[in-house]
Amino acid sequence: MNTDSNNLRKLAEKLVQYGRKQGADEIEITLYDGREFNVEVRLGLIENLVEAGSRYCTLRVFKEKRVASASSSDLSLSTLQSLIRRAINRASLTHPDYFAGLPAPARFKITEDSLKLYDPEVARLKPQEKIKLALTTERIALKDKRITNSFGASFVTNELKTVLVNSSGFSGEYLQTYCSLSLGLQAGQGDHLVEDYWFSSKRHFKDLATPEEVARIAVERTVRQLNPRKIKTQNVPVIFEPTMTSWLLAFLFACVSGTAVYQQTTFLAGKLGEKIGNDLVTVIDDGLLPGRLGSRPFDSEGLPTQRTVVLEKGILKNYLCNTYASRKLNLPATGNGNGRGVVPNNFFLEPGPLTPEEIISSTSKGLLLTRVIGHGLNSVTGDISRGASGLWIEGGQVVYPVSEITIAGNLGQILKNIEAVGNNLQFESPVCGPTIKVAEMTVAGR
C-alpha cells in the first residue's frame, strides 16, 4: 500500500482543530485507506474480478450534547472542512442527549505490533497467483464425479489502514490484512440437488487453508447430503457443528449487546450476575488475540480493546458496551464500539475436552445440525425457530442425511442444556465456537 500515514494523521489532526474552531464541543475523525482484490471463478472461467483502492472519511461532531455524523470519499481539505461545517449546523436540528459524547481518554494504549494484524505476504501476492488459487480450488473439487455443478470459487484480499483522531486527545492508527478462499458446490440430479460450501479466512496468508483442503471439505460437506430422508417430529439431542455454534453465538451476542439491553429488546436485560447457562458455558469477547480476525488495538471510538468475560460457567458477567451504552447502563465500556453501534471483537465459546467424534458417539439418537435457513430469531424472548438440514444419528453413528426440518428451542434453555463442548474451536470469523451438544430440542418434520 502506498499509504502515507503521516499525511493521513496530519489531515485528521487538522480537521479536529478546524472543527473545534467552528464551534464543535467535541469532534472525532476517522480516515480509512484500503485496497481490495476479489476474484470469482466458475467452471474454470473468471466471472468477476475487482481490484480497487478506496479512501474515505467518517466524522462525528457534538455540540451542546447534540450529535451529527457525516462521511466522504473525497479527502480534499476543502471538502472535509465543508462537511464539518454542515455537520455542526445539522447537529443543532437534533435533540440534545445527555449520554452523547466522546469517551474519556484511556489510561493506556495497545501496541499494534503485538496483535499481528498485518501480513506483508498478502500485499506481495500477484493477481495471477490469486486467480490461480481460486481456479485450482474449483478444479480439484470438480474432479470428484459426485459433484455435478459449481457455484464458483473466490479469493479475496484486503489491506486497510485506519487512522483515528479526536478532540479528547486520542490519536491512533493500525494496518491490517485479510485473505479468504471459498468454494460452493452442487451434487445430485434433477429434483434431488444438494449444495454446500467451505471457506478459510485469515489475516496471514500462511495460515490460510490450501486449495486441496478447501476443496476436500467442500466436497465432503456437499455429497454427505445426497439422498436425504424425512423424519417425524420429535424431541432429541441436537449437535451443532462449529458453523452452527457460530450462528448461535451471533444470536447470543445480539442479546448481550449493551444497545439491546438499554433498548429492552433482549431477554437478558437485567440479568447480570444470574446463572443463565450451565457450567460448561464460558463465553469471552477478546480483541487482543494475536492474528485473529476480530482483533484490533482500539475500537471506533479510540477505546482500547480488551478481554471481557461475558459468561463464566454459565453466569452472565458482562454486557458488551460502546461509550453510549455504557453511560445509559452505568456500566464500563468494553472496547466494542463501531460507529454508533456495538460489534464483537473475537466473540467465542471456550472449547472443551471432547472431539466431535466422541460427541457423536455419545448420542444414541439425535440430529447433527449442519445448516439453517430463514430467520425465526426473537431476542426479546430468546425463541428460535428455523428451517434446517443435517445428519441423523443412531447408535452413536451418522446414518443418513435429513432435510425439510425445522429446529425450535429457546436460547436460554439451550445455554442451560449444553451437555458437551468440543475441542475444535477454529477462529475463521470474529464470532466462533466449537462443536456443542444440546440435550434436547424440538426437531419438526412430517
Side-chain angles (χ1 to χ4, degrees):
M1 291 177 73
N2 296 318
T3 300
D4 190 331
S5 285
N6 288 334
N7 283 350
L8 285 178
R9 192 182 285 230
K10 285 177 182 174
L11 174 60
E13 290 169 350
K14 190 176 292 187
L15 293 170
V16 167
Q17 292 168 4
Y18 182 81
R20 293 284 286 125
K21 286 178 182 175
Q22 292 297 310
D25 297 331
E26 297 179 299
I27 179 169
E28 172 190 270
I29 302 289
T30 310
L31 297 173
Y32 301 94
D33 188 353
R35 186 167 186 81
E36 65 167 316
F37 182 96
N38 182 6
V39 60
E40 298 171 10
V41 304
R42 182 172 176 272
L43 300 177
L45 299 174
I46 295 173
E47 287 204 331
N48 191 35
L49 180 63
V50 175
E51 186 170 20
S54 61
R55 306 176 92 195
Y56 62 102
C57 170
T58 64
L59 62 91
R60 289 193 300 164
V61 297
F62 302 87
K63 186 173 177 63
E64 297 169 349
K65 289 297 178 181
R66 303 165 193 262
V67 61
S69 58
S71 63
S72 172
S73 57
D74 180 351
L75 297 195
S76 65
L77 183 61
S78 60
T79 296
L80 295 178
Q81 287 177 336
S82 173
L83 206 64
I84 289 170
R85 292 194 302 273
R86 293 202 302 271
I88 293 170
N89 290 335
R90 196 165 63 252
S92 66
L93 303 175
T94 66
H95 291 288
D97 187 339
Y98 171 77
F99 301 102
L102 298 178
R107 296 185 303 276
F108 62 94
K109 272 190 177 183
I110 308 300
T111 61
E112 175 186 1
D113 292 345
S114 67
L115 297 182
K116 297 180 170 56
L117 305 182
Y118 181 74
D119 179 18
E121 182 72 13
V122 172
R124 285 195 293 264
L125 283 171
K126 293 181 170 58
Q128 295 84 348
E129 296 174 281
K130 301 175 186 182
I131 294 167
K132 184 180 178 183
L133 283 163
L135 289 169
T136 301
T137 304
E138 185 190 51
R139 188 173 66 249
I140 293 168
L142 290 177
K143 287 179 182 177
D144 192 304
K145 299 306 178 188
R146 296 170 296 177
I147 299 299
T148 53
N149 202 355
S150 168
F151 292 108
S154 70
F155 186 77
V156 177
T157 61
N158 274 302
E159 303 164 67
L160 181 65
K161 165 72 76 175
T162 302
V163 176
L164 173 61
V165 178
N166 69 28
S167 56
S168 291
F170 180 85
S171 179
E173 63 182 73
Y174 62 95
L175 184 59
Q176 59 183 318
T177 50
Y178 166 85
C179 53
S180 173
L181 180 63
S182 61
L183 172 66
L185 298 171
Q186 192 177 71
Q189 301 288 342
D191 295 331
H192 304 286
L193 296 172
V194 294
E195 62 188 58
D196 213 325
Y197 72 99
W198 194 242
F199 71 99
S200 177
S201 300
K202 300 293 180 184
R203 288 201 181 278
H204 295 257
F205 181 66
K206 66 178 176 59
D207 297 329
L208 202 66
T210 62
E212 290 79 9
E213 189 175 0
V214 171
R216 175 182 61 79
I217 297 174
V219 169
E220 288 173 359
R221 291 180 63 85
T222 304
V223 300
R224 70 182 180 175
Q225 301 176 76
L226 285 168
N227 305 312
R229 303 185 193 180
K230 296 178 182 179
I231 54 171
K232 292 181 179 178
T233 297
Q234 53 197 296
N235 291 342
V236 291
V238 174
I239 297 172
F240 286 64
E241 283 193 327
T243 52
M244 295 294 94
T245 305
S246 300
W247 154 69
L248 191 71
L249 285 169
F251 184 36
L252 174 62
F253 171 81
C255 295
V256 298
S257 154
T259 303
V261 175
Y262 77 70
Q263 291 177 346
Q264 295 289 305
T265 56
T266 166
F267 75 104
L268 295 177
K271 293 192 176 179
L272 274 185
E274 293 186 21
K275 196 168 179 67
I276 63 165
N278 66 26
D279 286 353
L280 296 177
V281 181
T282 294
V283 177
I284 290 166
D285 183 85
D286 192 343
L288 303 177
L289 297 175
R292 300 305 185 195
L293 292 171
S295 298
R296 49 185 178 161
F298 52 85
D299 71 3
S300 69
E301 300 179 299
L303 289 176
T305 56
Q306 62 184 47
R307 182 181 189 271
T308 305
V309 178
V310 179
L311 272 73
E312 184 173 32
K313 294 186 175 179
I315 297 172
L316 181 59
K317 292 286 191 177
N318 288 287
Y319 299 127
L320 297 173
C321 296
N322 61 0
T323 299
Y324 188 83
S326 75
R327 289 172 178 161
K328 291 279 280 190
L329 298 170
N330 195 27
L331 292 170
T334 54
N336 291 88
N338 181 44
R340 283 180 284 179
V342 177
V343 295
N345 292 313
N346 296 295
F347 186 82
F348 63 96
L349 174 68
E350 278 203 333
L354 302 173
T355 65
E357 293 75 19
E358 288 171 328
I359 294 175
I360 292 170
S361 65
S362 73
T363 307
S364 58
K365 182 172 78 167
L367 174 71
L368 175 60
L369 181 67
T370 62
R371 195 169 188 181
V372 289
I373 56 174
H375 300 287
L377 301 177
N378 187 331
S379 62
V380 176
T381 61
D383 288 340
I384 294 170
S385 178
R386 297 192 75 178
S389 57
L391 305 172
W392 195 248
I393 298 168
E394 286 184 2
Q397 292 186 324
V398 171
V399 287
Y400 51 79
V402 291
S403 64
E404 297 181 44
I405 57 175
T406 300
I407 59 160
N410 178 276
L411 180 58
Q413 289 301 312
I414 289 170
L415 293 172
K416 291 173 182 173
N417 291 338
I418 291 174
E419 59 180 25
V421 179
N423 63 359
N424 56 335
L425 175 63
Q426 298 290 326
F427 288 89
E428 295 286 351
S429 65
V431 179
C432 54
T435 297
I436 60 172
K437 179 181 177 181
V438 178
E440 185 176 276
M441 291 181 72
T442 300
V443 177
R446 55 184 168 85

